[in-house]
Amino acid sequence: MGSAITTSGLGKTFITRTGPVEAVRDLTFEVGKNEVIGLLGPNGAGKTTTMRMLSTLEQPTAGTATIAGHDLRHDPRGVRQSIGLVAQSGGSRPTATVRDELLLQARLHRLSDPMAQAETMMKAFELTELAARPTMTLSGGQRRRLDLAIGLIHAPQVIFLDEPTAALDPPSRNELWGHIRALRARADVTVVLSTHHLDEADALCDRVLILDHGKLIAEDSPARLKQRLGNDVITIDAGLRDDQVATRTLASIADLPHVRDVRRTGNELRIGCENAEGLLTRVVLTLHDAGIDMHGLQVAHPSLDDVFLALTGHTTAQER
Amino acid sequence: MSALHDTFIVFRSELALALRNKVALAIGLIQPFVYLLLFGPLLTQALPAAQNPWLFFVPGLLLQLGLFGTGFAGFNLIPDIRSGFVERLRVAPVSRLAILLGRLLKDSLILGLQAIPLIVVGYLLGMAANPLGVLASLILILITGVGLASLSYVLALGLPNEYLFAPAVNSLAIPLMLLSGILLPVDRGPVWLDWLAHLNPLRYILDATRALFTGALDTTAAIGIAVAVALAIVSVAIGSSLFRRRTA
């Protein structure tokens, strides 16, 4: 398994009237083939600039990158042949039809049978009935499906999705997630998607790169990032009638491995721990042995929001 | 050659869209007809009886069609920039020059399609023009259209915001029109006006068109053709350099 993307010290400084602005600094990472990675961060973190550099739209001012074996600086055409980009703004002419745009893309990439390719993509993305519609008349969800079809028609090795579900309603978002998951099942595609929806990265990505103020501040699988915080919470609604029994039981739960802290509020037990699933049986057995009834049980993992807060000291919702 | 093929792909797609937009095509035709029908009769009175007014006026309207038709070509680029279409082309493995050339050829062809009815009506009104000269003029106008459309794209790409585009084109096109002698012979004015008009490349192109309409292939025609070709080459060079810089 080779790598689809490698970057080393990649950076972009924009010269503005008020002085230089470092949008991205010293970005070094690697993306394996067939990986789905998420670029995560608040607005202004450098996600879009990173995508624009990797897709040849913006010249880096520092560092190097290789995409699908092509050097970004010296072989931009090779990069362009191997990638697809679904930009935030889409990229269809307002008066062109769905079929026009797919045909043009197929021809630009010199596909052997543009008509057939366009039809195949329309079928795959449920656009066949919309073929003759001008793109400006499409709904948000339909337009996003078209954008994906355009980005994928030439079977790129690497596909960049810049905030693919921004401004979509929940059903359209779920539908789009389905299409992205389908990409994941294909062995030959690497997906880089940016989002500030943490649940989206959690649901779709093998690995997440967290950007903040143009810098890479963390890089791991969503599960491990959350594990790093180590605060899974098991909440149990128990019949704690006897205070003495309760205190003794709490103490023995607190002695179990991986338990961080145990708190009782009335009939509710909150157990802060690492690896809640691994601990669950022993907690339940302890309560059972003490003769305590259980009326409800809940396991909560930290959200990526919690991760972000812990890493940066601010939540994703806060603008800089 | 791959850049040529790229140009053809862009041209074909843009042309299909433009031809489908019948309303825009028709509107582009209205203005020269308004001049032809409302201003032409006045001109027939103003010009010396020896001169066929239509041989003077139809070439002028052809150039005006070129000036305003292709001068506003950049206007069509604005929604394509805003929708992200131009960036989509930039991410595709397409020659940067082809993105510009494909559009320019479309603009020039549309100009040709609008020019034909104007010429036909000119003949119907009694314009006794040399058919070969008219054909040569048409080609000359198409070359001029490429140059003007390219400058229009430069404006669309280069201006700090899209609201400036229409006033900028108007404030450039109207003096260019007045100083080229489209409506009235410019050499009958004061010397300074005539001198200023000599700085306007469109004047030479218009003089050449008028010469060609009478069937004369003389120095005036040769100079006009040379100016049109030079204008096209310089404008496309500026346009493609800007496209390239914006799209590296």
Side-chain angles (χ1 to χ4, degrees), chain A residues 18-308:
Chain A
T18 52
V21 174
E22 272 192 299
V24 173
R25 286 181 262 189
D26 196 23
L27 200 58
T28 301
F29 64 88
E30 198 167 327
V31 182
K33 281 182 185 152
N34 195 30
E35 238 190 324
V36 178
I37 72 148
L39 293 179
L40 194 67
N43 290 337
K47 306 185 296 289
T48 297
T49 306
T50 301
M51 287 228 172
R52 288 176 64 85
M53 283 194 284
L54 295 179
S55 58
T56 75
L57 283 174
E58 210 83 70
Q59 287 264 29
T61 47
T64 57
T66 308
I67 292 110
H70 303 279
D71 185 273
L72 190 59
R73 279 177 201 273
H74 300 111
D75 185 15
R77 201 185 167 97
V79 173
R80 290 181 189 126
Q81 268 159 355
S82 334
I83 64 166
L85 170 70
V86 176
Q88 275 179 50
S89 56
S92 302
R93 290 164 295 181
T95 56
T97 65
V98 168
R99 183 182 280 116
D100 285 336
E101 292 298 9
L102 285 167
L103 266 180
L104 174 64
Q105 195 72 3
R107 292 195 172 118
L108 289 174
H109 280 276
R110 307 290 164 82
L111 302 184
S112 54
D113 188 350
M115 286 283 187
Q117 294 286 347
E119 296 300 328
T120 307
M121 292 314 276
M122 286 195 281
K123 205 175 277 175
F125 289 90
E126 300 148 76
L127 294 164
T128 309
E129 281 171 22
L130 306 169
R133 285 262 295 272
T135 64
M136 63 187 170
T137 66
L138 300 180
S139 75
Q142 293 167 341
R143 190 167 310 188
R144 233 49 189 127
R145 294 208 303 271
L146 171 62
D147 295 339
L148 262 190
I150 289 173
L152 291 167
I153 194 167
H154 54 292
Q157 296 168 55
V158 179
I159 175 104
F160 295 98
L161 308 173
D162 197 0
E163 296 189 13
T165 62
L168 288 190
D169 60 16
S172 309
R173 192 184 67 162
N174 282 336
E175 195 181 76
L176 206 76
W177 279 12
H179 287 297
I180 296 171
R181 286 205 179 96
L183 283 180
R184 201 181 163 158
R186 280 168 44 180
D188 51 347
V189 188
T190 303
V191 181
V192 178
L193 72 90
S194 76
T195 178
H196 43 215
H197 295 296
L198 302 161
D199 54 337
E200 184 160 284
D202 208 359
L204 298 175
C205 300
D206 299 316
R207 203 150 54 91
V208 175
L209 308 182
I210 298 183
L211 295 177
D212 190 39
H213 298 272
K215 278 169 69 176
L216 183 62
I217 56 168
E219 176 188 354
D220 217 330
S221 68
R224 270 203 296 271
L225 276 175
K226 288 184 294 187
Q227 239 171 42
R228 232 194 252 184
L229 275 165
N231 58 347
D232 287 359
V233 175
I234 304 173
T235 312
I236 298 168
D237 182 9
L240 298 172
R241 278 175 298 270
D242 187 326
D243 274 349
Q244 244 182 340
V245 175
T247 313
R248 213 178 323 129
T249 312
L250 254 60
S252 39
I253 290 175
D255 282 342
L256 291 173
H258 306 304
V259 173
R260 293 260 167 111
D261 63 292
V262 183
R263 270 178 294 163
R264 176 189 168 195
T265 327
N267 275 338
E268 194 186 84
L269 279 181
R270 277 188 95 252
I271 304 163
C273 58
E274 292 167 38
N275 188 10
E277 281 77 4
L279 193 67
L280 215 49
T281 320
R282 299 176 74 172
V283 171
V284 170
L285 283 175
T286 308
L287 290 171
H288 178 78
D289 288 349
I292 297 172
D293 297 335
M294 288 173 24
H295 306 303
L297 184 147
Q298 216 181 353
V299 175
H301 301 289
S303 73
L304 276 168
D305 254 321
D306 301 322
V307 176
F308 204 83

Side-chain angles (χ1 to χ4, degrees), chain B:
Chain B
M1 214 182 115
S2 125
L4 216 63
H5 191 181
D6 287 345
T7 303
F8 176 71
I9 292 167
V10 175
F11 166 74
R12 177 181 178 181
S13 181
E14 289 293 329
L15 185 67
L17 284 201
L19 292 180
R20 220 180 290 153
N21 196 346
K22 305 268 186 324
V23 181
L25 279 180
I27 289 174
L29 261 180
I30 288 174
Q31 201 195 19
F33 277 107
V34 167
Y35 275 94
L36 196 63
L37 298 174
L38 302 185
F39 193 76
L42 297 176
L43 201 69
T44 53
Q45 305 299 314
L47 286 178
Q51 202 170 350
N52 182 325
W54 305 113
L55 280 181
F56 172 83
F57 199 42
V58 174
L61 289 182
L62 271 184
L63 193 68
Q64 192 190 27
L65 183 69
L67 182 57
F68 284 90
T70 51
F72 276 97
F75 219 55
N76 292 325
L77 190 64
I78 289 172
D80 288 354
I81 295 172
R82 205 188 304 157
S83 69
F85 176 70
V86 173
E87 296 219 316
R88 184 180 127 208
L89 292 186
R90 291 170 50 189
V91 176
V94 184
S95 146
R96 315 284 94 175
L97 185 61
I99 300 174
L100 176 68
L101 276 185
R103 290 186 90 107
L104 288 179
L105 291 181
K106 179 265 299 182
D107 295 326
S108 182
L109 190 76
I110 296 291
L111 173 62
L113 291 180
Q114 291 175 329
I116 289 167
L118 189 66
I119 292 168
V120 171
V121 172
Y123 272 118
L124 292 178
L125 288 170
M127 171 185 77
N130 179 314
L132 275 181
V134 169
L135 191 67
S137 299
L138 194 59
I139 294 167
L140 181 62
I141 294 293
L142 295 191
I143 296 171
T144 310
V146 168
L148 292 172
S150 187
L151 290 180
S152 184
Y153 288 129
V154 168
L155 275 185
L157 279 174
L159 286 173
N161 70 65
E162 58 194 60
Y163 299 105
L164 290 174
F165 182 80
V169 171
N170 262 327
S171 59
L172 289 172
I174 288 169
L176 281 176
M177 176 180 83
L178 294 173
L179 285 176
S180 63
I182 284 176
L183 298 177
L184 289 167
V186 77
D187 51 9
R188 294 195 201 158
V191 178
W192 64 268
L193 195 70
D194 189 38
W195 183 83
L196 208 58
H198 273 104
L199 298 176
N200 178 5
L202 297 188
R203 179 187 182 160
Y204 301 97
I205 296 168
L206 181 56
D207 286 348
T209 312
R210 284 182 177 143
L212 287 168
F213 263 57
T214 63
L217 191 62
D218 52 10
T219 352
T220 312
I223 291 174
I225 293 167
V227 169
V229 170
L231 177 73
I233 291 174
V234 171
S235 309
V236 171
I238 296 172
S240 70
S241 123
L242 191 65
F243 254 71
R244 215 179 295 260
R245 229 176 320 134
R246 287 292 185 84
T247 61

